[in-house]
């Protein structure tokens, strides 16, 4: 089933074209759908997981250049600029450098402490090319710096083929000019909304958390185990954040899962032994249109004192995405649907058509008011790995497929090698030697190869070609090398 | 007593000639109808009838006779010669040395022979209204006709509204705007008359030939909303009979549908059969992809395949170059591609090894169906690839239910004094106290004159309950300050 937006009817004068409830309700429903998607549920921007905003070098503090963020985005004709937003607090003389498309020469260097917004002019490209971006700490540092990436995006959006047609006003004349203007306005909004791809999370499936309280050694600067670091955009005042995580505690009498927003604890749950699911609705209070950090942390409160091997807790981060708060978004008052074979007055007909127009006008205004989301093509964060050996590990591939926590669109663009589309219940195989579940080897009931293993390629797939991959289904893009994935409504 | 004479004209060679009156013998009968029956008096898109038979002297048989156009006027007391009772084609004859009985039929037979590949038409009413201000010529850049219009044009028909420009087509046609549009519509060399019936069926309309030989498409609401052309009471007809179906009225309707989904550019034709392209002999390749195509990938030149689509070589194995060593033409229809390759190499044959054509197919999605109404007497509508949306299926089912959910007797008014009007598809009012008819609006579903024009019999179906086009809000530049219906 494709997205609910249905091809609009075409209105024609002088052919006795009868107004049908079917055609009119198509316009009503399309307007309602546009209204709904103009309040998007936005996944948090992924920064890291195991690595906190402090790059912990371990005991070997002379490690040099290190990648701590990388991602990719699709270039479209008209784009000129890559923007990377973050924070740098150096320990010593190290710098942050940004590399494009695997180049050995940095396109930008950040050397001053503090928050930064680094813009980079894009190199020449062909429409549809995938741009890869890598942010590295360059230079040895004997201690811990803070290197955060809070946002990375491409601008400007490509110019649409047509300009906004505006919305008509109906006053008992229902000609093709006015009616087709109404449908054109809805089609324009669909194209406008579709300019912003829907970017996945880096999935976290049965990732390792701690088995012991922290700090476990004096050198550790924190009393928790980091699970996730990112940033959340508050697009509307009625947004809140929803964090959902499954915790598999097989070791400790007592643990906690904490969610921090903008440095303050926003939610916490005590975790008993066993498998538990935690869903946190979190109020957002920072300025609309801005981002703040979000981090998820595990704390072992009471460890297991028994002798012998300890068992790591495992966490599956299901969702870290905004949603409407308890009072809900300010959706437009859409007209009630038309009923077929029922007589109505021209006044009623005017009211309903004008309500469609008002809805579309409100959607346009809403999009225009929030360029922080609607005028930027955000980069996808690539799989967590500080280097190629880490990237290629089987357990890394299993733990961190790209996760679309809700299928919303119809078209998926993917670049990579040996890439599969995965959905449905997960299958955990048993370790052949021990007979124990092997959480490092998780597969899915449905796995469809979309890019072969012989080369890197870019493919477009249509999601309703896959049985049971229904709208609102969570699905994953998993593979040896997933460079980029993005979903579009159409 | 009325005097009956006949005017019979034939057109064997491009112009009409009148058959000598004395060569026309008796036994002229004509029939035209929408194709309904007591079981389904107003069924959408049913097989319509247009027939005539007459006896002539053998010497009057035109040459050539097969499919010779013929028009018959039953001239009563000097009525107009152009009030045709039948226009069609001579299909067969039988007789003896002196007299022949000609069997004539409407243009459905000719239309049936038309088997063409159409372009893919996107989100357009299945029939579009014909009018002087609207071009129906598919070669016109401004063409916006429906697939039904396209078929009628390809079969040799021309819009009646354009009769001033097209004075001698195979037949004329005139269409209402269909109530329903499919996201994707096309034809692939099927029987055009069957296709037109199916198009009428899935768009809630009727296609039939009237007595003047015009192929007409009418939506059911247009039929119901037409003005009455005559009133018939007990003094106008000799007898009235009624037939009611044994089938109970329908309380629900089920309509299947199958979505069509466009897909990205991909290989749609892969031809690796080795052939020789001989000097001076173009190689014509025709393909029917599995799915209709939204677009075909072309090269730098418009309407040409890209060079890398071809693998054509010299006998030595050296690759031949498009534009230098060979050229080609490309003709793309919805589900048919023709590539004609011409060898331009000097003095050598070329070897064709492979051709890959990329296109955007429109695939069929998972089938579904909708049910409207309730109760135990449900009718399943015929499945059609042109019903591609749930909304279309629902609307068609509701239209069908609106018509089939009440009992519609078929009345036959017989022994009516012949008059050229009314015709099948016309609306008349009928009065009969015993039958409970009081100026009841009825549509004529069949008209016959079996006795050579002395009398006529009309089969009519009541339509008082059905609204007409004027009862609805329509798309118009005129203000509509009124209470009107919104259709299904």
């Amino acid at each position: 089933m494709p997205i609910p937006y249905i091809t609009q009817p075409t209105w024609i004068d002088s052919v006795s074209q009868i107004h049908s409830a079917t055609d009119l309700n198509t316009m009503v429903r399309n307007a309602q759908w546009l209204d709904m998607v103009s309040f998007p549920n936005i996944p948090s921007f992924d920064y890291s997981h195991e690595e906190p905003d402090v790059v912990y070098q371990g005991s070997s503090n002379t490690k040099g250049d290190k990648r701590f963020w990388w991602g990719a985005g699709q270039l479209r004709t008209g784009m000129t600029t890559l923007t990377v937003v973050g924070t740098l607090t150096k320990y010593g003389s190290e710098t942050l450098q940004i590399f494009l498309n695997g180049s050995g020469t940095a396109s930008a260097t950040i050397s001053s402490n503090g928050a930064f917004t680094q813009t980079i002019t894009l190199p020449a490209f062909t429409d549809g090319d995938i741009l890869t971006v890598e942010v590295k700490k360059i230079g040895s540092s004997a201690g811990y710096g803070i290197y955060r990436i809070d946002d990375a995006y491409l601008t400007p959006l490509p110019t649409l083929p047509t300009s906004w047609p505006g919305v008509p006003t109906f006053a008992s004349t229902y000609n093709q000019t006015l009616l087709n203007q109404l449908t054109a306005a809805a089609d324009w909004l669909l194209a406008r909304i579709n300019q912003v791809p829907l970017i996945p999370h880096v999935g976290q499936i049965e990732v390792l958390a701690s088995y012991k309280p922290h700090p476990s050694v004096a050198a550790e600067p924190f009393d928790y185990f980091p699970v996730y670091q990112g940033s959340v955009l508050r697009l509307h005042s009625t947004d809140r954040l929803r964090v959902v995580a499954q915790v598999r505690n097989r070791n400790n009498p007592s643990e906690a899962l904490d969610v921090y927003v903008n440095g303050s604890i926003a939610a916490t749950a005590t975790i008993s032994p066993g498998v538990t699911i935690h869903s946190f609705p979190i109020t957002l209070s920072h300025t609309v249109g801005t981002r703040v950090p979000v981090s998820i942390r595990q704390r072992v409160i009471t460890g297991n004192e028994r002798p012998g091997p300890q068992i790591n807790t495992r966490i599956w981060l299901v969702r870290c995405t905004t949603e409407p708060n308890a009072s809900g978004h300010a959706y437009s008052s859409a007209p009630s649907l038309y009923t077929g074979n029922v007589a109505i007055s021209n006044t009623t007909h005017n009211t309903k058509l004008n309500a469609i127009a008002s809805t579309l006008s409100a959607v346009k205004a809403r999009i225009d008011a929030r360029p922080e989301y609607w005028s930027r093509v955000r980069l996808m964060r690539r799989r967590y790995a500080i280097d190629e050996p880490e990237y290629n590990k089987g357990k890394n591939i299993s733990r961190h497929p790209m996760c679309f926590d809700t299928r919303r669109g119809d078209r998926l663009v993917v670049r990579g090698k040996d890439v599969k589309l995965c959905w449905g219940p997960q299958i955990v195989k048993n370790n052949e030697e021990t007979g124990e579940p092997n959480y490092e080897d998780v597969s899915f009931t449905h796995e469809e190869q979309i890019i072969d293993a012989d080369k890197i390629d870019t493919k477009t797939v249509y999601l309703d070609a896959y049985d049971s991959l229904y709208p609102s289904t969570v699905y994953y893009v998993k593979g040896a090398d997933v460079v980029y994935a993005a979903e579009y409504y159409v | 007593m009325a005097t009956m004479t006949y005017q019979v004209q034939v057109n064997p060679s491009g112009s009409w000639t009148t058959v000598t009156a004395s060569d026309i013998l008796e036994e002229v009968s004509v029939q035209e109808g929408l194709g309904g029956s007591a079981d389904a008096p107003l069924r959408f898109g049913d097989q319509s009838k247009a027939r005539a038979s007459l006896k002539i002297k053998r010497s009057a048989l035109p040459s050539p006779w097969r499919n010779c156009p013929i028009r018959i006027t039953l001239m009563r007391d000097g009525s107009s010669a152009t009030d045709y009772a039948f226009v069609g084609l001579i299909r067969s004859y039988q007789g003896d040395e002196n007299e022949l009985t000609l069997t004539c039929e409407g243009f459905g037979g000719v239309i049936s022979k038309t088997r063409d590949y159409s372009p893919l038409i996107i989100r357009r009413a299945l029939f579009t209204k014909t009018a002087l201000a609207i071009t129906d010529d598919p070669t016109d850049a401004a063409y916006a006709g429906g697939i039904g219009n396209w078929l009628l044009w390809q079969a040799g028909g021309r819009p009646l509204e354009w009769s001033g420009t097209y004075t001698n087509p195979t037949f004329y046609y005139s269409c209402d705007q269909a109530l329903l549009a499919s996201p994707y519509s096309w034809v692939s060399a099927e029987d055009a008359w069957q296709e037109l019936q199916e198009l009428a069926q899935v768009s809630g309309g009727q296609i039939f030939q009237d007595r003047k030989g015009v192929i007409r498409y009418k939506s059911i609401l247009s039929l119901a909303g037409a003005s009455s052309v005559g009133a018939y009471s007990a003094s106008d007809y000799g007898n009235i009979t009624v037939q009611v179906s044994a089938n109970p009225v329908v309380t629900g309707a089920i309509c299947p549908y199958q979505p069509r989904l466009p897909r990205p550019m991909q290989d749609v034709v892969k031809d690796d059969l080795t052939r020789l392209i001989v000097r001076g002999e173009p190689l014509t390749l025709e393909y029917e992809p599995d799915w209709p195509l939204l677009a075909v990938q072309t090269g730098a030149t418009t309407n040409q395949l890209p060079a890398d689509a071809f693998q054509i070589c010299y006998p030595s194995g050296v690759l031949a170059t498009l534009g230098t060593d060979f050229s080609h033409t490309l003709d793309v229809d919805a589900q048919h591609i023709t590539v004609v390759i011409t060898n331009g190499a000097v003095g050598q044959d070329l070897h064709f090894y492979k051709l890959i054509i990329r296109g955007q197919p429109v695939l069929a999605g998972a089938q579904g169906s909708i049910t409207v109404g309730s109760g135990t007497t449900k009718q399943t509508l015929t499945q059609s690839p042109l019903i591609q949306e749930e909304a279309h299926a629902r609307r068609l089912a509701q239209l069908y239910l609106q018509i089939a959910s009440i009992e519609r007797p078929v009345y036959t008014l017989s022994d009516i004094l012949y008059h050229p009007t009314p015709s099948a598809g016309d609306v008349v009012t009928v009065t009969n106290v015993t039958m409970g008819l009081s100026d009841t609006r009825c549509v004529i579903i069949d008209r016959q004159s079996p006795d050579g024009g002395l009398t006529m019999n009309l089969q009519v179906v009541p339509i008082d309950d059905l609204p007409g086009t004027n009862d609805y809000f329509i798309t118009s530049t005129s203000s509509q300050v009124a209470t009107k219906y919104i259709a299904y």
Side-chain angles (χ1 to χ4, degrees), chain B residues 313-332:
Chain B
C313 299
Y314 283 93
S316 62
V318 171
L319 211 57
T321 303
L322 173 64
T324 305
D325 305 316
F326 70 95
S327 61
H328 76 285
T329 61
L330 175 68
D331 187 24
V332 178

Side-chain angles (χ1 to χ4, degrees), chain A residues 17 19 21 172 341 344 462 464, chain B residues 263-264 473 475 480 484 486-487:
Chain A
Q17 182 187 34
H19 288 189
S172 304
N341 207 38
I344 61 172
Y462 286 81
D464 52 70
Chain B
R263 284 297 169 255
F473 284 109
T475 305
Q480 297 173 70
K484 294 199 173 196
I486 297 292

Side-chain angles (χ1 to χ4, degrees), chain B residues 1-281:
Chain B
M1 182 166 175
T3 306
M4 279 307 304
T5 57
Y6 308 101
Q7 175 180 272
V8 176
Q9 293 179 306
V10 293
N11 185 352
S13 311
S15 60
W16 291 98
T17 56
T18 302
V19 176
T20 305
S22 59
D23 289 343
I24 304 168
L25 307 175
E26 299 288 329
E27 300 176 38
V28 176
S29 71
V30 293
Q31 180 185 18
E32 43 149 339
L34 270 60
S37 67
D39 286 338
L42 290 177
R43 181 182 296 164
F44 297 143
D46 208 347
Q47 293 285 343
S48 62
K49 301 170 270 200
R51 299 193 187 102
S53 69
L54 72 159
K55 187 178 278 187
I56 61 171
K57 290 183 181 174
R58 173 175 275 277
S59 58
L61 182 70
S63 176
W65 65 267
R66 191 182 296 279
N67 289 332
C68 172
I70 183 171
R71 53 195 187 196
I72 302 170
T73 309
L74 309 181
M75 299 186 68
R76 185 178 180 84
D77 286 340
S79 56
S80 169
T82 56
D83 278 332
Y84 305 120
F86 175 83
V87 179
L89 304 168
I90 302 172
R91 300 286 279 167
S92 66
Y93 68 81
Q94 63 177 35
D96 58 24
E97 299 169 309
N98 302 309
E99 299 173 350
L100 299 175
T101 298
L102 305 182
T103 299
C104 309
E105 293 180 0
F107 294 106
V110 165
I111 297 172
S112 180
K113 300 256 184 308
T114 298
R115 290 169 191 253
D116 273 343
Y117 294 94
S118 78
L120 190 68
I121 294 178
I122 298 172
R123 183 63 70 174
R124 206 180 290 167
L126 294 173
F127 291 87
T128 49
K129 184 173 175 62
T130 48
L132 193 57
I134 302 172
T135 179
D136 234 42
D137 180 355
T139 63
D140 193 307
Y143 181 70
I147 190 66
N149 302 60
W150 187 91
L151 273 170
L152 289 165
W153 183 283
Q154 296 301 116
R158 294 296 181 265
L160 179 66
E161 294 81 359
W162 284 77
S163 58
T165 302
Y166 304 106
T167 56
N168 194 26
T170 305
F171 59 92
Y172 287 110
Y173 64 89
S174 182
C175 301
D176 286 343
Q177 185 83 358
L179 297 173
L180 295 160
S182 300
Y184 304 98
S185 51
W186 74 100
V187 293
S188 293
E190 291 104 347
D191 178 328
W193 187 242
Q194 292 298 323
E195 275 298 305
L196 287 166
Q197 298 293 331
E198 181 176 339
L199 289 169
Q201 202 168 20
V202 303
S203 62
Q206 287 275 4
I207 189 159
F208 60 96
Q209 177 175 316
D210 71 9
R211 60 183 175 84
K212 292 191 175 181
V214 179
I215 304 293
R216 293 190 181 270
Y217 170 80
K218 288 198 170 292
S219 77
I220 193 66
L221 298 182
S222 169
L223 275 175
S227 301
S228 171
V229 301
Y232 295 90
S233 62
S235 60
D236 297 309
Y237 47 82
N239 193 25
I240 181 170
T241 58
V242 63
Q243 188 175 7
V244 179
S245 172
N247 298 329
V249 294
V250 173
T251 59
I254 301 167
C255 187
Y257 65 93
Q258 185 164 38
R260 287 276 169 173
L261 308 164
R263 284 297 169 255
M265 199 66 74
Q266 56 193 265
D267 294 348
V268 294
V269 168
K270 196 170 183 178
D271 182 352
D272 55 8
L273 181 67
T274 304
R275 301 173 180 82
L276 203 60
I277 310 175
V278 177
R279 289 159 285 168
E281 290 181 21

